Amino acid sequence: MIIHSEQEMLDFGESFTKQFVKTIPKSSNVIELVGDVGAGKTTFVRGLAKGLGLSEPITSPSFTISKQYSLPGSKRLVHYDFYRLSDPGLMSEDLQENLNDQNAIIIIEWGDSISNLLPSDHTKITIKYNNDNTRTVEL
Ligand code: ADP
Ligand code: MG
């Protein structure tokens, strides 16, 4: 799929999320985002947050590694960014707890160092930067 603009990425994140949340009781509660710096991963998360009914702004959790947002109906959005973290340390326990919590909706950027923790059926979205500012998105 080709995404032509930032707005289209926000809209895609928003609509994808609405579908994804419906599947959580049956399948994995985690989305892994793969793509280079500037590909649009965090932009996707901003769309996702809107789809979940969040009004507060999403900023990249690069320095804190994770950020949590309360959602309507006792659910939580947990956004991880493991950029340049070769050893996730205690963060892997934090992630494990959230993976086991049906009320957590988890989205991960740069998940290489914790990929062994992710369930095999997790959703993986790859975003590739194209020269004309469009993005190619693969599920
Ligand atoms: P990442 O989290 O992958 O490093 P960001 O989402 O933080 O990337 O940044 C992507 C940047 O690219 C944003 O500034 C966004 O406005 C811009 N952009 C331009 N075109 C697109 C597009 N088609 N899809 C997503 N982002 C785009
Ligand atoms: Mg990012």
Side-chain angles (χ1 to χ4, degrees):
M1 179 176 49
I2 301 285
I3 300 277
H4 297 89
S5 64
E6 177 181 27
Q7 187 59 48
E8 238 180 82
M9 185 65 87
L10 293 169
D11 293 346
F12 169 63
E14 184 177 351
S15 58
F16 182 83
T17 300
K18 288 185 179 141
Q19 294 302 312
F20 176 76
V21 166
K22 289 181 199 156
T23 68
I24 287 184
K26 278 187 288 170
S27 51
S28 170
N29 59 346
V30 54
I31 300 174
E32 179 187 12
L33 296 177
V34 178
D36 289 340
V37 172
K41 301 182 295 299
T42 302
T43 304
F44 177 92
V45 179
R46 284 165 53 212
L48 176 144
K50 193 172 173 215
L52 294 170
L54 261 187
S55 48
E56 57 185 299
I58 298 287
T59 52
S60 188
S62 292
F63 297 103
T64 52
I65 305 168
S66 93
K67 276 191 184 168
Q68 278 201 51
Y69 306 86
S70 302
L71 300 172
S74 78
K75 288 196 178 279
R76 295 176 292 124
L77 170 66
V78 191
H79 181 195
Y80 291 98
D81 188 333
F82 294 103
Y83 184 59
R84 288 191 170 158
L85 196 71
S86 52
D87 178 7
L90 283 175
M91 261 304 154
S92 60
E93 285 170 37
D94 178 85
L95 173 62
Q96 194 68 65
E97 276 174 33
N98 285 320
L99 287 168
N100 292 327
D101 183 348
Q102 293 270 319
N103 282 324
I105 295 160
I106 303 166
I107 185 125
I108 299 176
E109 299 184 43
W110 300 105
D112 297 353
S113 64
I114 49 76
S115 59
N116 59 319
L117 299 178
L118 301 182
S120 54
D121 69 341
H122 78 276
T123 299
K124 183 169 171 173
I125 300 177
T126 302
I127 308 172
K128 290 201 182 90
Y129 184 95
N130 302 321
N131 288 333
D132 56 359
N133 237 11
T134 65
R135 306 292 193 268
T136 302
V137 174
E138 280 168 23
L139 289 185

